[in-house]
Amino acid sequence: MKTYLEKSREELLSLKSSLEEEYKTQEAKGLSFNMARGKPGASQLAISMPMLDVINGDSDMNTLLGNDTRNYGDWDGIGECRRMMAAMLGVKKDNVIVCGNSSLNIMYDTVVRSMVKGVCGSVPWCKLDKVKFLCPVPGYDRHFKITELFDIEMINIPLGEDGPDMDMVEEYVNNDESVKGIWCVPKYSNPTGISYSDETVKRFANLKPKAEDFRIYWDNAYCIHHLYDDGQAEILNILEECEKAGNPDIVYMFGSTSKISFPGSGVSAIATSLKNMDYIKKFMTTQIIGHDKINQLRHSRYLKDMDSLKAHMKKHAEILRPKFEAVLTILESELAGTGIGTWTKPKGGYFISFESLPGCAKDIVAKCRQLGMVLTEAGATYPYGRDPQDSNIRIAPSFPTPEEMTEAAKLFVLCVKLSSVEKLLADMDD
Amino acid sequence: MKTYLEKSREELLSLKSSLEEEYKTQEAKGLSFNMARGKPGASQLAISMPMLDVINGDSDMNTLLGNDTRNYGDWDGIGECRRMMAAMLGVKKDNVIVCGNSSLNIMYDTVVRSMVKGVCGSVPWCKLDKVKFLCPVPGYDRHFKITELFDIEMINIPLGEDGPDMDMVEEYVNNDESVKGIWCVPKYSNPTGISYSDETVKRFANLKPKAEDFRIYWDNAYCIHHLYDDGQAEILNILEECEKAGNPDIVYMFGSTSKISFPGSGVSAIATSLKNMDYIKKFMTTQIIGHDKINQLRHSRYLKDMDSLKAHMKKHAEILRPKFEAVLTILESELAGTGIGTWTKPKGGYFISFESLPGCAKDIVAKCRQLGMVLTEAGATYPYGRDPQDSNIRIAPSFPTPEEMTEAAKLFVLCVKLSSVEKLLADMDD
């Protein structure tokens, strides 16, 4: 079988014509699919409905320590919820602050705090001429939006199978004082699904940052979000590794139950060294009297501990797996051997990352939209929305049903083919 | 009856001796009362327990518009909750963003945002040599802590029966470009319980700020928190007045259900002009995907509308009133005519504000603590914790039972008398 790149002009033209016909047929259907965000589907939301019965009008509202969750207090979270989140993140309870419903909000607050007041006594970033963040790419658009909003210069770092290009990371962090942070999704990375190797984690822990206020922003968003029982990724505990390396303060870990219980109504947490926590405390206790402890109680009584968390996550996996497989089956049957795309086969997380021919991603996403299928904006996985190759597309298969995903994947493949043919023909004309 | 100030040295010495004896007797009892914070008592928390039954595992989780509250979306709050909070704050729904569990957090975010990125395009405050806030005193310590944390200079403005000294406010705001804000609790003020007169509100609305980024921080924390059916305070709608005055953008209003449903598990809101909302949106949508909409649904289904809110608040008033009255009865019977203290008789809110002889407040609070009674730190009602007269003490009667409040008030009065006698004797020796 010839790849598209080996086809003659005539072959491509003939293919284009049949693809265009198919495209018109699909366009006329007026379909509607949304694969833009990592949004759980209705059946996933149903899993956690019993949690809403755990706390009711007759419940004992006290924590195990006897604090009334309905009243003010416990700014760092109730004990049992801190313990649960610590177990989930693989860290010690004493290193965890449980916050509100959004780990993104904790990250935002962390960056803003550093802008206005520095990090553990360093010069506030807003007083500096230049502040830079390293951004492994492709990565999570909402991370990049935070640093962009505060005019922090973002530097692309290629993300491979084992994590970011650590030679580049070390080069920047150890030599450039204006580099203050790096965004990481170390497990089932958004969007490529890769997990950092032990060597990568160790190299992170052993960084020798030029800037005293450099921190690793370790967004452990998918820490227990496996799709399969076999071959589950496990990553080293970065807090422990940093401690071993004599770098206890260089990392903030973030996590939440947004994709465990309910997106938007879960609990979130930050885990870091006691020194960092102490600094954060001054700000958090000025910012808020305390987070929603009733919701913390609800979560810790329902999700309990690691064993029940794992059992709970299996239910999510059972719902998600067929959706991922629906996409992968179509990609495989339609695009394998064509040379016009590669894609990830993730073992966890929420995304499939697709690489088209260079220069085709924006066009594919636009073509999909024309057919009624909303994808994440092409480029969103790169800082400033600029994918230098214009090739990365993030597919989020969680929201539609598996049947819809099959249909959607077929449309996607159609658009990939048509766009690629058009690109190859245009290249011939150059 | 002689006031303490008219007593002779001998009379004071004899009084001192009997007060000291009583103090020792009380000290030996090892009592424990907490009147430090405006913390609802257990019976108030019980009022809202049925709210926890409103949403359960079988509930329809959709908003009236059909959005699933369990999933991402509605960054500015679900429609029915925006409508309810708007009714409570007396503003239009379109001017309201419903946020998380803490209005203090919205205020903090608002100040931080202005520090880093300015207000609707103005120069970020962190780039300025000097930023000042006006602080009506006595006032709310947590407001002052926010501005203190960010090195904003705070200027005391005397708070009278009708509100802040508006001559001073106008003088500062209309002439000093470094004055960027003023903290207000316009209704049942914390701690004095006064409410701003119509003239005060109109003068606020008609300010001609020298600084384009000046805003009024209108913390409407006690908007429906009346203690009595009669003589309820009503204040003018500041948003409307500002609009009339051609100043639509100079105010942010804040409010929450913290003292309506559960402190720490309520919903909060900011109300402001569409222009301000538009600016805020860019930050909020970067900071968070959305707030806890299930809790918003729970609140709007349970608290419904103004009629049911009012009925609900009556239950709080019935519980709070006897506690306030217990304190007022003791203050009246023990201190009326002594000349060593004055106090407020609030019609709403959470506090009684006590003015001792100058130079006694810190000592009274210390003496109370020695007897096992925790009061708000003396000075806390002033910026930097510095009460220039050392005379203001905030009493929070909400947490103990009425019986405890009677006991606690007796101890308080004992400490006031002893401290005053000691002060008067010391003054004689000067």
Side-chain angles (χ1 to χ4, degrees), chain A residues 40 53 57 71 112 151 265 292, chain B residues 40 53 57 71 112 117 151 265 292:
Chain A
D53 289 323
N71 223 326
V112 173
D151 309 306
S265 299
D292 185 342
Chain B
D53 290 323
N71 222 328
V112 173
K117 296 289 281 185
D151 308 306
S265 300
D292 185 343

Side-chain angles (χ1 to χ4, degrees), chain A residues 125-391:
Chain A
W125 297 351
C126 67
K127 305 280 185 201
L128 302 174
D129 289 334
K130 178 69 84 182
V131 174
K132 299 175 192 157
F133 258 57
L134 306 184
C135 301
V137 288
Y140 180 33
D141 58 343
R142 290 191 190 271
H143 287 163
F144 304 153
K145 287 279 181 207
I146 292 175
T147 25
E148 183 176 358
L149 184 62
F150 296 112
D151 309 306
I152 292 171
E153 185 182 322
M154 294 181 279
I155 297 164
N156 292 358
I157 303 286
L159 184 75
E161 282 301 307
D162 292 328
D165 180 329
M166 290 308 293
D167 291 341
M168 263 182 90
V169 171
E170 285 163 356
E171 177 67 23
Y172 273 111
V173 173
N174 297 353
N175 297 296
D176 187 343
E177 199 174 353
S178 66
V179 171
K180 304 298 188 188
I182 179 167
W183 289 119
C184 295
V185 183
K187 196 163 171 180
Y188 299 134
S189 150
N190 176 353
T192 70
I194 65 99
S195 297
Y196 292 11
S197 70
D198 291 356
E199 194 204 328
T200 298
V201 178
K202 280 177 195 288
R203 286 177 75 176
F204 264 110
N206 283 280
L207 286 169
K208 300 282 168 257
K210 181 84 170 171
E212 56 163 343
D213 48 355
F214 168 85
R215 295 289 183 274
I216 303 160
Y217 292 69
W218 197 260
D219 185 0
N220 210 351
Y222 307 107
C223 51
I224 55 171
H225 301 57
H226 312 286
L227 284 170
Y228 297 90
D229 289 344
D230 295 336
Q232 295 187 347
E234 288 310 332
I235 56 169
L236 283 181
N237 178 337
I238 182 80
L239 262 66
E240 235 168 55
E241 293 302 319
C242 286
E243 233 177 71
K244 278 191 220 163
N247 267 334
D249 304 319
I250 66 164
V251 64
Y252 304 121
M253 188 191 291
F254 307 95
S256 81
T257 68
S258 290
K259 290 177 178 86
I260 297 174
S261 58
F262 299 119
S265 299
V267 295
S268 65
I270 176 171
T272 191
S273 72
L274 297 183
K275 181 182 162 188
N276 285 338
M277 283 174 76
D278 204 49
Y279 185 71
I280 291 171
K281 179 179 179 177
K282 192 172 74 172
F283 292 84
M284 276 207 189
T285 55
T286 302
Q287 177 173 22
I288 198 164
I289 307 179
H291 294 281
D292 185 342
K293 297 189 300 299
I294 295 183
N295 204 32
Q296 292 177 16
L297 191 67
R298 187 179 286 120
H299 275 77
S300 44
R301 285 192 184 162
Y302 181 65
L303 296 173
K304 293 190 184 83
D305 55 25
M306 262 319 258
D307 285 344
S308 49
L309 269 171
K310 279 180 188 166
H312 183 86
M313 293 312 288
K314 273 199 179 191
K315 297 181 193 167
H316 281 293
E318 277 156 28
I319 294 168
L320 284 170
R321 219 162 35 226
K323 301 181 181 192
F324 276 77
E325 288 174 353
V327 178
L328 294 170
T329 303
I330 299 295
L331 291 177
E332 186 63 30
S333 67
E334 293 290 322
L335 294 182
T338 61
I340 58 171
T342 59
W343 55 92
T344 57
K345 297 164 193 71
K347 295 287 184 192
Y350 265 69
F351 304 102
I352 293 167
S353 183
F354 184 87
E355 287 288 330
S356 69
L357 291 179
C360 285
K362 270 188 199 305
D363 184 55
I364 293 168
V365 170
K367 282 188 161 57
C368 286
R369 185 173 292 263
Q370 189 63 25
L371 297 187
M373 179 165 142
V374 185
L375 292 167
T376 310
E377 217 49 60
T381 52
Y382 282 76
Y384 312 106
R386 286 198 297 262
D387 173 358
Q389 294 283 319
D390 185 25
S391 61

Side-chain angles (χ1 to χ4, degrees), chain B residues 57-252:
Chain B
D58 297 319
S59 295
D60 170 10
M61 301 300 287
N62 283 1
T63 66
L64 294 172
L65 281 178
N67 298 343
D68 193 331
T69 55
R70 299 169 301 177
N71 222 328
Y72 294 118
D74 282 323
W75 71 273
D76 50 0
I78 64 171
E80 46 262 62
C81 199
R82 290 177 72 194
R83 187 170 301 113
M84 183 186 79
M85 293 302 277
M88 183 182 100
L89 294 170
V91 300
K92 293 182 201 129
K93 175 186 162 231
D94 287 348
N95 293 107
V96 170
I97 303 170
V98 177
C99 300
N101 70 325
S102 163
S103 56
L104 190 74
N105 202 342
I106 314 179
M107 295 178 226
Y108 175 98
D109 283 353
T110 304
V111 171
V112 173
R113 185 170 58 238
S114 310
M115 291 293 300
V116 189
K117 296 289 281 185
V119 179
C120 294
S122 75
V123 177
W125 297 352
C126 68
K127 304 281 185 201
L128 302 174
D129 289 334
K130 178 69 84 182
V131 174
K132 299 175 194 159
F133 258 58
L134 306 184
C135 301
V137 286
Y140 180 33
D141 57 344
R142 291 190 189 272
H143 287 163
F144 304 154
K145 287 279 182 210
I146 291 175
T147 25
E148 184 177 358
L149 183 63
F150 296 112
D151 308 306
I152 293 171
E153 186 181 321
M154 294 181 277
I155 297 165
N156 292 357
I157 304 286
L159 184 74
E161 282 301 308
D162 292 328
D165 180 330
M166 290 308 294
D167 291 341
M168 263 181 91
V169 170
E170 285 163 356
E171 176 69 23
Y172 272 111
V173 173
N174 297 352
N175 297 297
D176 187 343
E177 201 175 351
S178 65
V179 171
K180 304 297 190 189
I182 179 168
W183 289 119
C184 296
V185 184
K187 196 163 171 182
Y188 300 133
S189 148
N190 175 352
T192 70
I194 65 100
S195 297
Y196 292 11
S197 69
D198 290 356
E199 195 205 325
T200 298
V201 177
K202 280 177 194 289
R203 285 177 76 176
F204 264 110
N206 283 280
L207 286 169
K208 299 281 168 261
K210 181 86 170 168
E212 55 164 343
D213 48 354
F214 169 85
R215 295 290 184 273
I216 303 161
Y217 292 67
W218 197 259
D219 185 0
N220 211 351
Y222 307 107
C223 51
I224 55 170
H225 301 57
H226 312 286
L227 285 170
Y228 298 91
D229 289 344
D230 295 336
Q232 295 186 348
E234 288 310 333
I235 56 170
L236 283 182
N237 178 335
I238 182 80
L239 263 65
E240 234 167 58
E241 293 301 319
C242 286
E243 233 178 71
K244 277 190 221 164
N247 268 333
D249 305 317
I250 67 164
V251 63
Y252 304 121

Side-chain angles (χ1 to χ4, degrees), chain B residues 334-350:
Chain B
E334 293 290 322
L335 294 182
T338 61
I340 57 171
T342 58
W343 55 92
T344 57
K345 296 164 192 72
K347 295 287 185 191
Y350 264 70

